[in-house]
């Protein structure tokens, strides 16, 4: 603990000396400040659960709650509230609950706004089988890294003539380089053995070809991590037969969307899957990817596992591996014990009971 | 090249016409007219030479040649009235002559059975060729009577159909799967229209048209009704690709209103894959654009036991090509006698159904299923130790034991 404080003090000094144009992260006696966006629906209750567990685990995190609703700035452009933006720019790390996108609200989805505001270019989803939650697939341990800014989701579409629509898939060298670099760095930082690029360059020769080329170039620079490439259809075919053969997967936007949800399905669905979004300038927002579940909001029935595991991912990103391990082990132990599970996990307990069980386990592990 | 071939074909048609051999032309013209009447029920090409059909056979690469030899063996054994016209497509050579020959053969015979051909990154994949090359017969015929027939989309192999069924003898994580996947085969993400305007910025166009979407939706609902299915699910990503997939979804809805006996719903593709790996039994018939079709068909093939078990078919208005559902060449197991012949044999049964040789089709199919289920002679991909030839021999033994007239084993 003292080491962390010393290191953070040194980095603060070094940061000041370097005169970075970015705001240095707020360190108050070794405590990291994190922007918390509770979200809508079940968001607030699962955020409370996570904060409670972190307190019991004595994680050095200070939460700064902000709300994110779309507001119209000067010039009619939709944006997130300036205090939320300022908080995130200052803290760099964020934890977000589910946000609802009202239909026909006139503004783009909040998730899209956040992505554009902070240039969140990489979506990382580690999928590992949870011991206590049985699915037909028991040996999943992979990470999907998805390019989040361009590709098929560029949003550029037009009607050429009546009855003919053209959607543009955009692949740029810069974005591909960025995601490939990140994939290899992630593999190195998390002791992963190999990175697989998923593509369809036999059909989309130029676009996926460019993506593949940049992945190969990045592989050259990181010779200690194994690299191979696989067609999307082969990956899908093998994934449902033997998911244990995959390690880190890097891919463009659409394939990433499909595969990351496929892998989430393998381990039990969006209610237990963590997710992180890495942006430029060191910003990282970790989130739960399930919906707001308005039908059970406020009834103490929600399952905080997804948000909790995302928060654990956040701790690992910040280097607080000890706390991350403790909280994760407690969570998995409680799920394995099956004594206090929420309804979606097959039990009858309330959210608060589940949270308390995890807190109890954390106390035992300290 | 296209103009030259057009001119050549045209002269071939005009010469007999002018020479007074109206009978030949009328037969061709007549066939085109009757094909216009049929929507999805394609009439197979007329049997020639004493009731025997001629089918184009394209061995392909990898395990294709050996599997198709087994198909020939089984057909010979069962005395199926089908003759194969073998056309080799060498994917190692960079020219397109082989492919043109194959396409001409398919056009001539109307039906083909093919092994998988490796797609080099530099050459257009074979199936893409099939879906784009137009038929020049009706074109030139109509040109000869003064009409310029511009659109030739009616001859493309526009529907890829795959039937994924759990086979009781095969160990899989999920049971009781029975899904029909209908995939639009001509447009969507596979339009092959890409350009690099600025170095490092590549645009790839995904085209969705109302005509093709209506066509594939019509095909899907028609097939669902024919096979006695209850529900059709459209798979899309219209929340993000609002115009493109939105148009596809709208077309599906329009067609659904003509089929009140079938339930129609839609699902976003990422949710679909998630549901497929947790509860695949909820799906009945699925229809979708090209890329999602690729993903979903591979996921379903994996769910029922792998690429060695699932046959696939590509249908156009005038042609049909049968192959294994997942287009893997199986290079690594070629020549080792360990490939699973089930997919290719079931594809040949689908072809026999298409040629209206139903009895032969069900005879071979039942033999395959009983070999799979009862005698448990599984190849390596299913976790067994059987060889390809053992499986084929077993199938032929079952057919013989059923008492039908066969040649010597």
């Amino acid at each position: 603990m003292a080491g962390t404080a010393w290191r953070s003090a040194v980095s603060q000094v070094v940061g000041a000396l370097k005169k970075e144009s970015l705001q240095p992260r707020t360190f108050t006696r070794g405590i990291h400040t994190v922007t918390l966006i509770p979200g809508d629906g079940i968001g607030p209750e699962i955020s409370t659960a996570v904060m409670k567990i972190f307190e019991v685990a004595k994680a050095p995190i200070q939460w700064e709650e902000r709300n994110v609703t779309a507001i119209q700035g000067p010039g009619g452009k939709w944006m997130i509230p300036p205090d939320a933006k300022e908080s995130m720019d200052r803290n760099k790390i964020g934890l977000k609950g589910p946000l609802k996108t009202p239909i026909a609200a006139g503004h783009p989805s909040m998730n899209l706004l956040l992505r554009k505001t902070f240039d969140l270019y990489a979506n990382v989803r580690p999928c590992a089988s949870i011991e206590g939650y049985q699915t037909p697939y028991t040996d999943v341990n992979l990470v999907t890294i998805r390019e989040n800014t361009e590709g098929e989701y560029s949003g550029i579409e037009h009607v050429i003539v009546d009855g003919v629509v053209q959607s543009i898939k955009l692949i740029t060298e810069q974005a591909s380089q960025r995601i490939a670099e990140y994939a290899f760095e992630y593999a190195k930082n998390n002791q992963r053995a190999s990175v697989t690029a998923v593509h369809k360059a036999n059909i989309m020769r130029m676009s996926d070809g460019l993506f593949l080329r940049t992945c190969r170039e990045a592989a050259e620079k990181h010779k200690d991590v194994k690299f191979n490439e696989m067609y999307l259809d082969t990956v899908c075919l093998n994934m449902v037969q033997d998911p244990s053969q995959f390690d880190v997967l890097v891919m463009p936007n659409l394939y990433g969307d499909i595969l990351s949800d496929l892998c989430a399905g393998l381990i039990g669905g969006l209610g237990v899957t963590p997710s992180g979004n890495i942006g430029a300038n060191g910003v990282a927002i970790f989130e739960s990817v399930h919906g707001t579940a308005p039908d059970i909001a406020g009834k103490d029935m929600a399952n905080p596992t997804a948000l909790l595991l995302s928060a654990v991912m956040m701790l690992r990103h910040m280097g607080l591996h000890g706390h991350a391990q403790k909280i994760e082990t407690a969570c998995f132990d409680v799920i394995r014990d099956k004594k206090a599970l929420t309804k979606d996990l097959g039990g009858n307990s309330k959210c608060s009971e589940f949270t308390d069980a995890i807190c109890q386990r954390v106390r035992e592990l300290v | 090249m296209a103009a030259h071939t057009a001119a050549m074909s045209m002269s071939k048609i005009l010469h007999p016409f002018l020479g007074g051999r109206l009978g030949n032309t009328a037969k061709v013209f007549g066939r085109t007219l009757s094909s216009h009447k049929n929507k999805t029920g394609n009439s197979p090409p007329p049997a020639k030479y004493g009731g025997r059909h001629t089918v184009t056979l394209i061995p392909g690469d990898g395990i294709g040649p050996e599997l198709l030899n087994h198909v020939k063996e089984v057909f010979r054994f069962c005395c199926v009235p089908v003759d194969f016209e073998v056309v080799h497509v060498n994917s190692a050579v960079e020219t397109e002559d082989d492919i043109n020959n194959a396409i001409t053969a398919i056009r001539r015979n109307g039906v083909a059975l093919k092994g998988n051909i490796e797609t080099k990154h530099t050459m257009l994949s074979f199936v893409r060729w099939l879906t784009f090359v137009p038929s020049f017969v009706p074109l030139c015929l109509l040109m000869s009577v003064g009409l310029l027939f511009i659109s030739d989309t009616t001859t493309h192999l526009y529907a890829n159909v795959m039937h994924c069924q759990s086979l009781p003898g095969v160990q899989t994580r999920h049971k009781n799967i029975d899904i029909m996947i209908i995939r639009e085969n001509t447009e969507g993400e596979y339009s092959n229209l890409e350009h690099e305007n600025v170095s490092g910025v590549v645009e790839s166009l995904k085209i969705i048209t109302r005509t093709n979407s209506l066509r594939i939706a019509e095909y899907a609902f028609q097939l669902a009704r024919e096979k006695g299915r209850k529900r059709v699910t459209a798979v899309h990503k219209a929340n993000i690709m609002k115009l493109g997939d939105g148009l596809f979804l709208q077309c599906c809805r329009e067609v659904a209103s003509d089929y009140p006996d079938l339930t129609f719903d839609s699902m976003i593709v990422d949710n679909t894959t998630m549901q497929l790996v947790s509860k695949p039994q909820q799906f009945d018939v699925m229809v979708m654009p090209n890329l999602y079709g690729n993903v979903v068909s591979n996921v379903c093939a994996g769910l029922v036991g792998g690429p060695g078990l699932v046959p696939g078919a590509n249908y156009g208005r005038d042609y049909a090509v049968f192959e294994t559902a997942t287009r893997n060449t199986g290079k690594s197991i070629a020549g080792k006698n360990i490939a699973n012949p089930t997919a290719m044999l079931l594809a040949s049964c689908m072809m026999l159904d298409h040629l209206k040789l139903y009895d032969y089709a069900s005879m071979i199919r039942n033999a395959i299923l009983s070999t799979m289920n009862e005698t448990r002679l599984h190849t390596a991909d299913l976790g067994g130790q059987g060889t390809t030839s053992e499986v084929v021999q077993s199938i032929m033994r079952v057919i013989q034991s059923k008492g039908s007239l066969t040649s010597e084993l």
Side-chain angles (χ1 to χ4, degrees), chain A residues 177 180-181 183-185 188 195 197 211-229:
Chain A
Q177 257 167 2
E181 271 302 321
F184 281 97
E185 260 177 52
K188 265 213 289 259
V195 172
F211 178 80
L212 202 55
R213 248 195 337 269
T214 40
C215 285
R216 284 185 190 141
E217 283 163 22
E220 287 300 308
K221 291 194 225 132
H222 299 264
K223 284 261 164 61
D224 45 342
V225 179
K226 268 204 303 237
F227 172 73
N228 65 335
E229 27 192 90

mmCIF file of all heavy atoms in Angstrom, chain A residues 177 180-181 183-185 188 195 197 211-229:
data_model
loop_
_atom_site.group_PDB
_atom_site.id
_atom_site.type_symbol
_atom_site.label_atom_id
_atom_site.label_comp_id
_atom_site.label_asym_id
_atom_site.label_seq_id
_atom_site.Cartn_x
_atom_site.Cartn_y
_atom_site.Cartn_z
ATOM 1 N N GLN A 177 -4.637 0.428 -37.034
ATOM 2 C CA GLN A 177 -3.350 0.377 -36.332
ATOM 3 C C GLN A 177 -3.562 0.495 -34.836
ATOM 4 O O GLN A 177 -2.975 -0.223 -34.041
ATOM 5 C CB GLN A 177 -2.468 1.542 -36.783
ATOM 6 C CG GLN A 177 -1.400 1.136 -37.740
ATOM 7 C CD GLN A 177 -0.752 2.328 -38.402
ATOM 8 O OE1 GLN A 177 -1.078 3.479 -38.120
ATOM 9 N NE2 GLN A 177 0.153 2.063 -39.285
ATOM 10 N N ALA A 180 -5.055 -2.675 -33.352
ATOM 11 C CA ALA A 180 -4.111 -3.796 -33.377
ATOM 12 C C ALA A 180 -3.058 -3.616 -32.283
ATOM 13 O O ALA A 180 -2.745 -4.544 -31.529
ATOM 14 C CB ALA A 180 -3.453 -3.898 -34.748
ATOM 15 N N GLU A 181 -2.542 -2.387 -32.167
ATOM 16 C CA GLU A 181 -1.565 -2.081 -31.123
ATOM 17 C C GLU A 181 -2.150 -2.381 -29.758
ATOM 18 O O GLU A 181 -1.524 -3.001 -28.899
ATOM 19 C CB GLU A 181 -1.205 -0.588 -31.172
ATOM 20 C CG GLU A 181 -0.061 -0.210 -32.068
ATOM 21 C CD GLU A 181 1.228 -0.913 -31.732
ATOM 22 O OE1 GLU A 181 1.533 -1.093 -30.527
ATOM 23 O OE2 GLU A 181 1.926 -1.320 -32.669
ATOM 24 N N ALA A 183 -4.527 -4.376 -28.986
ATOM 25 C CA ALA A 183 -4.747 -5.808 -28.759
ATOM 26 C C ALA A 183 -3.470 -6.479 -28.266
ATOM 27 O O ALA A 183 -3.481 -7.267 -27.312
ATOM 28 C CB ALA A 183 -5.242 -6.466 -30.036
ATOM 29 N N PHE A 184 -2.347 -6.141 -28.923
ATOM 30 C CA PHE A 184 -1.093 -6.776 -28.511
ATOM 31 C C PHE A 184 -0.652 -6.304 -27.136
ATOM 32 O O PHE A 184 -0.143 -7.086 -26.325
ATOM 33 C CB PHE A 184 -0.005 -6.521 -29.561
ATOM 34 C CG PHE A 184 -0.153 -7.423 -30.746
ATOM 35 C CD1 PHE A 184 -0.799 -6.995 -31.891
ATOM 36 C CD2 PHE A 184 0.333 -8.718 -30.707
ATOM 37 C CE1 PHE A 184 -0.957 -7.838 -32.972
ATOM 38 C CE2 PHE A 184 0.182 -9.572 -31.780
ATOM 39 C CZ PHE A 184 -0.470 -9.132 -32.923
ATOM 40 N N GLU A 185 -0.873 -5.011 -26.863
ATOM 41 C CA GLU A 185 -0.515 -4.505 -25.535
ATOM 42 C C GLU A 185 -1.338 -5.189 -24.462
ATOM 43 O O GLU A 185 -0.837 -5.556 -23.407
ATOM 44 C CB GLU A 185 -0.801 -3.009 -25.481
ATOM 45 C CG GLU A 185 0.412 -2.159 -25.681
ATOM 46 C CD GLU A 185 0.011 -0.703 -25.688
ATOM 47 O OE1 GLU A 185 -0.671 -0.275 -24.746
ATOM 48 O OE2 GLU A 185 0.401 -0.029 -26.661
ATOM 49 N N LYS A 188 -0.063 -8.593 -23.826
ATOM 50 C CA LYS A 188 1.163 -8.582 -23.014
ATOM 51 C C LYS A 188 0.854 -8.273 -21.561
ATOM 52 O O LYS A 188 1.323 -8.938 -20.656
ATOM 53 C CB LYS A 188 2.131 -7.525 -23.561
ATOM 54 C CG LYS A 188 3.145 -8.098 -24.523
ATOM 55 C CD LYS A 188 4.461 -7.407 -24.464
ATOM 56 C CE LYS A 188 4.429 -6.016 -25.039
ATOM 57 N NZ LYS A 188 4.990 -5.970 -26.396
ATOM 58 N N VAL A 195 -2.836 -13.743 -30.141
ATOM 59 C CA VAL A 195 -3.842 -12.823 -30.660
ATOM 60 C C VAL A 195 -4.291 -13.353 -32.021
ATOM 61 O O VAL A 195 -3.467 -13.694 -32.854
ATOM 62 C CB VAL A 195 -3.259 -11.399 -30.828
ATOM 63 C CG1 VAL A 195 -4.251 -10.510 -31.549
ATOM 64 C CG2 VAL A 195 -2.922 -10.805 -29.479
ATOM 65 N N ALA A 197 -6.548 -12.485 -35.402
ATOM 66 C CA ALA A 197 -7.293 -11.461 -36.145
ATOM 67 C C ALA A 197 -8.433 -12.151 -36.881
ATOM 68 O O ALA A 197 -8.223 -13.138 -37.579
ATOM 69 C CB ALA A 197 -6.379 -10.749 -37.123
ATOM 70 N N PHE A 211 -7.196 -4.049 -42.829
ATOM 71 C CA PHE A 211 -7.225 -4.367 -41.402
ATOM 72 C C PHE A 211 -6.224 -5.466 -41.085
ATOM 73 O O PHE A 211 -5.438 -5.381 -40.134
ATOM 74 C CB PHE A 211 -8.643 -4.796 -41.011
ATOM 75 C CG PHE A 211 -8.786 -5.189 -39.580
ATOM 76 C CD1 PHE A 211 -8.917 -4.222 -38.597
ATOM 77 C CD2 PHE A 211 -8.766 -6.521 -39.193
ATOM 78 C CE1 PHE A 211 -9.037 -4.582 -37.269
ATOM 79 C CE2 PHE A 211 -8.887 -6.886 -37.873
ATOM 80 C CZ PHE A 211 -9.019 -5.915 -36.911
ATOM 81 N N LEU A 212 -6.221 -6.490 -41.925
ATOM 82 C CA LEU A 212 -5.332 -7.628 -41.703
ATOM 83 C C LEU A 212 -3.872 -7.223 -41.820
ATOM 84 O O LEU A 212 -3.021 -7.644 -41.028
ATOM 85 C CB LEU A 212 -5.671 -8.698 -42.741
ATOM 86 C CG LEU A 212 -5.268 -10.123 -42.428
ATOM 87 C CD1 LEU A 212 -5.845 -10.541 -41.114
ATOM 88 C CD2 LEU A 212 -5.742 -11.030 -43.542
ATOM 89 N N ARG A 213 -3.603 -6.369 -42.794
ATOM 90 C CA ARG A 213 -2.212 -5.922 -42.994
ATOM 91 C C ARG A 213 -1.710 -5.198 -41.762
ATOM 92 O O ARG A 213 -0.596 -5.430 -41.305
ATOM 93 C CB ARG A 213 -2.135 -4.993 -44.209
ATOM 94 C CG ARG A 213 -1.392 -5.592 -45.361
ATOM 95 C CD ARG A 213 -0.967 -4.637 -46.435
ATOM 96 N NE ARG A 213 -1.696 -3.409 -46.559
ATOM 97 C CZ ARG A 213 -2.763 -3.255 -47.348
ATOM 98 N NH1 ARG A 213 -3.214 -4.263 -48.052
ATOM 99 N NH2 ARG A 213 -3.375 -2.072 -47.434
ATOM 100 N N THR A 214 -2.547 -4.294 -41.232
ATOM 101 C CA THR A 214 -2.088 -3.545 -40.058
ATOM 102 C C THR A 214 -1.924 -4.480 -38.862
ATOM 103 O O THR A 214 -1.016 -4.284 -38.050
ATOM 104 C CB THR A 214 -3.066 -2.411 -39.684
ATOM 105 O OG1 THR A 214 -4.395 -2.882 -39.852
ATOM 106 C CG2 THR A 214 -2.864 -1.207 -40.548
ATOM 107 N N CYS A 215 -2.766 -5.496 -38.755
ATOM 108 C CA CYS A 215 -2.585 -6.458 -37.659
ATOM 109 C C CYS A 215 -1.266 -7.188 -37.811
ATOM 110 O O CYS A 215 -0.543 -7.420 -36.836
ATOM 111 C CB CYS A 215 -3.730 -7.464 -37.637
ATOM 112 S SG CYS A 215 -5.260 -6.794 -37.009
ATOM 113 N N ARG A 216 -0.941 -7.541 -39.056
ATOM 114 C CA ARG A 216 0.317 -8.263 -39.285
ATOM 115 C C ARG A 216 1.501 -7.375 -38.916
ATOM 116 O O ARG A 216 2.473 -7.837 -38.316
ATOM 117 C CB ARG A 216 0.437 -8.671 -40.750
ATOM 118 C CG ARG A 216 -0.416 -9.851 -41.121
ATOM 119 C CD ARG A 216 -0.164 -10.264 -42.555
ATOM 120 N NE ARG A 216 -1.164 -11.232 -42.958
ATOM 121 C CZ ARG A 216 -1.737 -11.269 -44.145
ATOM 122 N NH1 ARG A 216 -1.406 -10.392 -45.060
ATOM 123 N NH2 ARG A 216 -2.636 -12.179 -44.435
ATOM 124 N N GLU A 217 1.390 -6.073 -39.296
ATOM 125 C CA GLU A 217 2.488 -5.152 -38.968
ATOM 126 C C GLU A 217 2.646 -5.035 -37.465
ATOM 127 O O GLU A 217 3.761 -5.010 -36.947
ATOM 128 C CB GLU A 217 2.215 -3.770 -39.575
ATOM 129 C CG GLU A 217 2.489 -3.702 -41.060
ATOM 130 C CD GLU A 217 1.843 -2.484 -41.690
ATOM 131 O OE1 GLU A 217 1.561 -1.505 -40.961
ATOM 132 O OE2 GLU A 217 1.619 -2.513 -42.912
ATOM 133 N N ALA A 218 1.532 -4.947 -36.747
ATOM 134 C CA ALA A 218 1.616 -4.852 -35.287
ATOM 135 C C ALA A 218 2.200 -6.128 -34.706
ATOM 136 O O ALA A 218 2.952 -6.077 -33.720
ATOM 137 C CB ALA A 218 0.224 -4.595 -34.699
ATOM 138 N N ALA A 219 1.886 -7.275 -35.329
ATOM 139 C CA ALA A 219 2.415 -8.546 -34.838
ATOM 140 C C ALA A 219 3.924 -8.583 -34.953
ATOM 141 O O ALA A 219 4.617 -9.148 -34.093
ATOM 142 C CB ALA A 219 1.795 -9.708 -35.613
ATOM 143 N N GLU A 220 4.426 -7.953 -36.023
ATOM 144 C CA GLU A 220 5.883 -7.916 -36.216
ATOM 145 C C GLU A 220 6.563 -7.186 -35.078
ATOM 146 O O GLU A 220 7.681 -7.504 -34.683
ATOM 147 C CB GLU A 220 6.214 -7.206 -37.536
ATOM 148 C CG GLU A 220 5.896 -8.017 -38.779
ATOM 149 C CD GLU A 220 6.658 -9.316 -38.825
ATOM 150 O OE1 GLU A 220 7.890 -9.279 -38.679
ATOM 151 O OE2 GLU A 220 6.017 -10.366 -38.977
ATOM 152 N N LYS A 221 5.845 -6.158 -34.577
ATOM 153 C CA LYS A 221 6.458 -5.374 -33.505
ATOM 154 C C LYS A 221 6.344 -6.043 -32.152
ATOM 155 O O LYS A 221 6.972 -5.622 -31.188
ATOM 156 C CB LYS A 221 5.781 -3.993 -33.426
ATOM 157 C CG LYS A 221 6.092 -3.118 -34.603
ATOM 158 C CD LYS A 221 5.701 -1.682 -34.332
ATOM 159 C CE LYS A 221 4.970 -1.123 -35.538
ATOM 160 N NZ LYS A 221 3.756 -0.448 -35.206
ATOM 161 N N HIS A 222 5.492 -7.042 -32.053
ATOM 162 C CA HIS A 222 5.313 -7.705 -30.760
ATOM 163 C C HIS A 222 5.544 -9.198 -30.942
ATOM 164 O O HIS A 222 4.617 -9.997 -30.888
ATOM 165 C CB HIS A 222 3.895 -7.478 -30.225
ATOM 166 C CG HIS A 222 3.560 -6.046 -30.006
ATOM 167 N ND1 HIS A 222 3.670 -5.438 -28.778
ATOM 168 C CD2 HIS A 222 3.124 -5.100 -30.864
ATOM 169 C CE1 HIS A 222 3.302 -4.175 -28.894
ATOM 170 N NE2 HIS A 222 2.971 -3.940 -30.143
ATOM 171 N N LYS A 223 6.801 -9.540 -31.156
ATOM 172 C CA LYS A 223 7.092 -10.920 -31.517
ATOM 173 C C LYS A 223 6.843 -11.886 -30.362
ATOM 174 O O LYS A 223 6.750 -13.093 -30.577
ATOM 175 C CB LYS A 223 8.569 -11.028 -31.960
ATOM 176 C CG LYS A 223 8.836 -10.477 -33.358
ATOM 177 C CD LYS A 223 8.877 -11.608 -34.358
ATOM 178 C CE LYS A 223 8.763 -11.202 -35.796
ATOM 179 N NZ LYS A 223 9.749 -10.342 -36.354
ATOM 180 N N ASP A 224 6.740 -11.392 -29.146
ATOM 181 C CA ASP A 224 6.572 -12.313 -28.017
ATOM 182 C C ASP A 224 5.140 -12.824 -27.887
ATOM 183 O O ASP A 224 4.878 -13.752 -27.112
ATOM 184 C CB ASP A 224 7.015 -11.635 -26.711
ATOM 185 C CG ASP A 224 6.471 -10.223 -26.607
ATOM 186 O OD1 ASP A 224 6.052 -9.660 -27.649
ATOM 187 O OD2 ASP A 224 6.483 -9.658 -25.505
ATOM 188 N N VAL A 225 4.228 -12.207 -28.618
ATOM 189 C CA VAL A 225 2.847 -12.692 -28.595
ATOM 190 C C VAL A 225 2.576 -13.396 -29.921
ATOM 191 O O VAL A 225 2.872 -12.867 -30.978
ATOM 192 C CB VAL A 225 1.853 -11.515 -28.420
ATOM 193 C CG1 VAL A 225 0.428 -12.022 -28.425
ATOM 194 C CG2 VAL A 225 2.146 -10.765 -27.151
ATOM 195 N N LYS A 226 2.000 -14.594 -29.842
ATOM 196 C CA LYS A 226 1.726 -15.346 -31.080
ATOM 197 C C LYS A 226 0.590 -14.668 -31.842
ATOM 198 O O LYS A 226 -0.351 -14.162 -31.232
ATOM 199 C CB LYS A 226 1.293 -16.773 -30.736
ATOM 200 C CG LYS A 226 2.433 -17.752 -30.688
ATOM 201 C CD LYS A 226 1.968 -19.182 -30.919
ATOM 202 C CE LYS A 226 0.915 -19.570 -29.921
ATOM 203 N NZ LYS A 226 1.254 -20.743 -29.142
ATOM 204 N N PHE A 227 0.675 -14.712 -33.151
ATOM 205 C CA PHE A 227 -0.367 -14.084 -33.953
ATOM 206 C C PHE A 227 -0.857 -15.051 -35.004
ATOM 207 O O PHE A 227 -0.077 -15.718 -35.661
ATOM 208 C CB PHE A 227 0.181 -12.819 -34.622
ATOM 209 C CG PHE A 227 -0.774 -12.211 -35.622
ATOM 210 C CD1 PHE A 227 -1.915 -11.552 -35.192
ATOM 211 C CD2 PHE A 227 -0.538 -12.303 -36.981
ATOM 212 C CE1 PHE A 227 -2.795 -11.000 -36.101
ATOM 213 C CE2 PHE A 227 -1.411 -11.748 -37.901
ATOM 214 C CZ PHE A 227 -2.549 -11.099 -37.466
ATOM 215 N N ASN A 228 -2.147 -15.160 -35.177
ATOM 216 C CA ASN A 228 -2.664 -15.890 -36.334
ATOM 217 C C ASN A 228 -3.949 -15.233 -36.812
ATOM 218 O O ASN A 228 -4.521 -14.384 -36.127
ATOM 219 C CB ASN A 228 -2.850 -17.378 -36.032
ATOM 220 C CG ASN A 228 -3.917 -17.624 -34.979
ATOM 221 O OD1 ASN A 228 -4.202 -16.773 -34.166
ATOM 222 N ND2 ASN A 228 -4.494 -18.800 -34.987
ATOM 223 N N GLU A 229 -4.375 -15.601 -37.991
ATOM 224 C CA GLU A 229 -5.551 -14.993 -38.559
ATOM 225 C C GLU A 229 -6.554 -16.084 -38.932
ATOM 226 O O GLU A 229 -6.191 -17.190 -39.301
ATOM 227 C CB GLU A 229 -5.171 -14.162 -39.778
ATOM 228 C CG GLU A 229 -3.908 -14.659 -40.468
ATOM 229 C CD GLU A 229 -3.385 -13.690 -41.489
ATOM 230 O OE1 GLU A 229 -2.569 -12.819 -41.127
ATOM 231 O OE2 GLU A 229 -3.808 -13.825 -42.640
#
